[in-house]
Amino acid sequence: MARLRGCEFPSGLLYHPEHNVWLRAEDQDTFSLGMTAYAVALAGDIVAYTPKRAGSMVASGRSCAVVESSKWVGPVKTPVGGQVLAVNQAAMADPGLLNREPYSGGWVVRIRAQGWQGACAGLLSGAAALAALERNMEADGFTGCE
Amino acid sequence: MTCGPEDGLSELRQMLDRVEALQAVPLHEGLLRRLLPGALTDSATVYFHTPGFRGFESSEIRACGKHSWPAVSITGGDCELQCDHCRAAVLAPMTAARSPDALWRVVNGLVEQGGRGMLLTGGSNRRNEVCYQPFLGAIARIKRSFPDFRIAAHTGLVDEDAALALEQAGVDVAMMDVIGAERTLRRVYHLKRGVADFEASLAALAQTAMRVVPHVIIGLHYGHMLGEWQALRMIARHRCDAVVLVAAMPYHASPRRPFARPDPHLAGAFFLDARATLPDTPLLLGCARPAGLARRQIDSYAVLAGLSGVAHPAEGVVELAARLGRRVRVSSACCATFLLADTDLEDRHLLDLNLDAVLAHEAAARSRARPVRIPVAAVRA
């Protein structure tokens, strides 16, 4: 587990720093996606999580869910397109899960990827991911996770 | 082929189903029937506003940056009133400018970064007054130095002198929450002032040259409606340039005095009541309202009811407006500047929806269903 400005970034995950999300391969062509601890810290206390419906298609770079807090409303974008297989019912009932457990109970969607092998090549892990995230934190003037 | 209200309702249902983001959003059938006449015939422009005091991005509207129309609080996060629905929570994320010098510096920074205006507000004292007096000189200096920089101010309760002072300082738009129930003032606001004080403030603002844009908060009595209709009647008695409708957000209330989420369908019905009470006044859906499904319902009703503007629209609502034949415009300015929203406040580049494709799809769908009854306007963002 790495830490940047008080935010945790588990090793073993793939990150897309621009969309501020993590991805975890579940099997050959399926992955889970969630917001990073940094992303949920920027959002503040999340009061609503509205995913795309299971079964719907989502394109690369487009929204797979909408998240709302008192200071932000915006999309969670997936860097890899595909079909939404599952959404987080527990988080729909308790959106604060995204804040409290961004890498476990607060996952956003599970997607069957279109061309996972090719698409995941654009994702970062390890030191490269941390360096990119740190650059984004600097650009955002991010003071840190509480 | 049938013809009449059922036919129109079916047409509206089919149109709603064509908006993917709204497909799972339940809307009240009886209310849809009431909305139908205006929904399918109103071709007026609808403005979608994305002021930067709340970060916003959707699949239809791009993010516009936090320096575009921020909210600035002259008391920072402090408010003596501590109303049960807010408890100063809405002030917390705002830019603080606790002194006239700080306000001047904040605005200079905004102008340097291309800012064109701001929402100016602050916490109240226990009489629901925002103490602008020490800031009037700074506001006047700002308007002298940057005459095109728009200031929309939440005034709180004012007397005639205070209203005149804001006008003379150069405030462009005066906004105040109009509350029509004594019980709400006592219990939610803990305020020892009456409904008449709110109407007197509105009258004082209406006598100035400022644009006057009162707000009505739906569900202000712990999530339930009580004085909202009286507020509309109060507004109808004065010169107002537009009215902003918002809905109470239940997130900031204390567990000891909780707020229910206002019923989205009642909010939709209230839009029609407001339209009937204020037939010649532009109605706008402001930033505050419950999140998630309720927001998609309320925003859908707002467009169907023919409101002139929606701030921070829910996913699918811009597309719905286009399919209804409305002229779609996007502005990063505060919705209370509606009447100031001339071309320099329009931000066409923020629209991230292919309106031509939407309109072509809608026209094709209608032609397949039956001979087109409602022409779809040729809209260009």
Side-chain angles (χ1 to χ4, degrees):
Chain A
M1 178 78 75
R3 294 180 80 88
L4 281 177
R5 303 193 185 197
C7 306
E8 294 183 342
F9 295 94
S11 53
L13 296 179
L14 296 167
Y15 293 92
H16 191 278
E18 183 187 346
H19 297 334
N20 218 346
V21 295
W22 57 263
L23 291 85
R24 182 177 57 229
E26 302 292 354
D27 58 36
Q28 195 167 11
D29 62 353
T30 303
F31 65 92
S32 296
L33 177 147
M35 299 171 73
T36 68
Y38 166 36
V40 296
L42 284 174
D45 292 339
I46 293 169
V47 298
Y49 148 74
T50 310
K52 290 200 82 165
R53 286 188 297 172
S56 62
M57 300 300 294
V58 57
S60 165
R62 303 299 288 183
S63 170
C64 59
V66 175
V67 165
E68 299 177 58
S69 70
S70 60
K71 64 178 183 180
W72 183 72
V73 52
V76 180
K77 294 179 181 176
T78 174
V80 181
Q83 184 179 34
V84 177
L85 291 182
V87 301
N88 189 340
Q89 299 290 343
M92 291 176 76
D94 176 14
L97 265 177
L98 274 68
N99 292 104
R100 297 194 304 273
E101 302 175 15
Y103 300 109
S104 53
W107 59 276
V108 173
V109 288
R110 294 206 172 96
I111 291 177
R112 176 177 292 132
Q114 288 179 321
W116 167 251
Q117 291 302 330
C120 73
L123 304 173
L124 301 178
S125 61
L130 295 175
L133 288 160
E134 171 62 32
R135 283 195 297 275
N136 289 353
M137 289 177 171
E138 185 66 29
D140 284 342
F142 180 66
T143 54
C145 291
E146 291 179 357
Chain B
M1 179 183 296
T2 60
C3 185
E6 289 302 323
D7 191 31
L9 187 61
S10 171
E11 183 179 341
L12 183 57
R13 283 280 191 199
Q14 290 169 11
M15 182 189 297
L16 287 161
D17 279 346
R18 288 193 283 273
V19 183
E20 183 186 354
L22 301 178
Q23 283 172 354
V25 176
L27 299 177
H28 191 277
E29 179 132 341
L31 182 53
L32 285 181
R33 285 182 205 282
R34 292 181 59 199
L35 290 162
L36 196 53
L40 289 180
T41 57
D42 188 345
S43 61
T45 299
V46 54
Y47 282 85
F48 293 101
H49 296 266
T50 62
F53 43 80
R54 188 185 190 201
F56 176 83
E57 182 181 357
S58 77
S59 63
E60 299 180 318
I61 299 178
R62 297 183 182 92
C64 65
K66 60 187 177 184
H67 300 298
S68 180
W69 281 85
V72 177
S73 170
I74 62 169
T75 64
D78 297 338
C79 180
E80 291 182 16
L81 209 48
Q82 293 292 310
C83 306
D84 286 349
H85 65 298
C86 171
R87 301 193 301 159
V90 300
L91 296 174
M94 294 181 181
T95 302
R98 293 172 179 271
S99 69
D101 284 346
L103 181 60
W104 171 249
R105 285 195 301 273
V106 164
V107 171
N108 271 270
L110 291 172
V111 171
E112 283 176 12
Q113 294 172 78
R116 294 172 294 176
M118 67 175 169
L119 172 72
L120 185 62
T121 188
S124 304
N125 62 19
R126 289 183 183 277
R127 290 175 51 78
N128 197 26
E129 297 160 341
V130 183
C131 190
Y132 283 113
Q133 206 284 329
F135 293 84
L136 294 173
I139 295 171
R141 183 182 177 196
I142 289 165
K143 290 300 291 187
R144 277 197 309 273
S145 304
F146 313 111
D148 293 333
F149 187 85
R150 272 68 173 243
I151 300 177
H154 272 292
T155 65
L157 291 179
V158 292
D159 58 19
E160 290 182 2
D161 290 343
L164 193 60
L166 289 170
E167 177 205 340
Q168 291 177 344
V171 169
D172 298 286
V173 180
M175 306 178 289
M176 64 170 285
D177 296 341
V178 178
I179 299 159
E182 302 287 355
R183 196 145 49 102
T184 303
L185 292 178
R186 296 284 176 278
R187 294 193 57 191
V188 178
Y189 275 59
H190 322 130
L191 193 59
K192 293 175 181 169
R193 300 184 73 170
V195 166
D197 291 308
F198 283 78
E199 182 151 11
S201 291
L202 191 55
L205 294 171
Q207 288 173 18
T208 71
M210 292 185 288
R211 311 277 183 164
V212 180
V213 184
H215 291 30
V216 178
I217 306 170
I218 299 167
L220 185 56
H221 199 84
Y222 298 102
H224 305 289
M225 298 179 73
L226 185 62
E228 286 83 345
W229 293 276
Q230 176 62 16
L232 291 179
R233 289 189 288 272
M234 291 159 63
I235 290 168
R237 291 194 282 265
H238 302 279
R239 188 271 300 171
C240 295
D241 296 280
V243 174
V244 171
L245 307 173
V246 295
M249 296 188 291
Y251 314 113
H252 309 309
S254 120
R256 291 190 302 110
R257 300 174 79 90
F259 262 65
R261 188 202 67 196
D263 185 325
H265 310 298
L266 292 180
F270 185 73
F271 296 155
L272 286 173
D273 295 339
R275 184 72 289 151
T277 307
L278 303 161
D280 301 318
T281 306
L283 302 177
L284 314 160
L285 181 60
C287 297
R289 53 202 185 274
L293 175 62
R295 193 164 74 91
R296 285 186 287 162
Q297 291 172 308
I298 290 172
D299 291 15
S300 298
Y301 287 136
V303 169
L304 293 170
L307 267 59
S308 302
V310 177
H312 299 147
E315 291 281 351
V317 171
V318 179
E319 181 181 338
L320 174 62
R323 287 182 183 275
L324 285 165
R326 304 281 158 71
R327 292 172 60 82
V328 169
R329 295 288 180 263
V330 179
S331 172
S332 61
C334 168
C335 74
T337 64
F338 173 76
L339 295 178
L340 305 173
D342 40 19
T343 51
D344 69 319
L345 287 183
E346 189 178 343
D347 298 285
R348 296 179 183 213
H349 63 284
L350 295 179
L351 190 65
D352 194 17
L353 180 67
N354 186 337
L355 285 178
D356 290 337
V358 168
L359 291 170
H361 182 263
E362 181 60 25
R366 289 188 189 197
S367 66
R368 280 195 302 272
R370 70 169 69 80
V372 176
R373 185 162 63 85
I374 312 295
V376 178
V379 179
R380 294 288 187 278

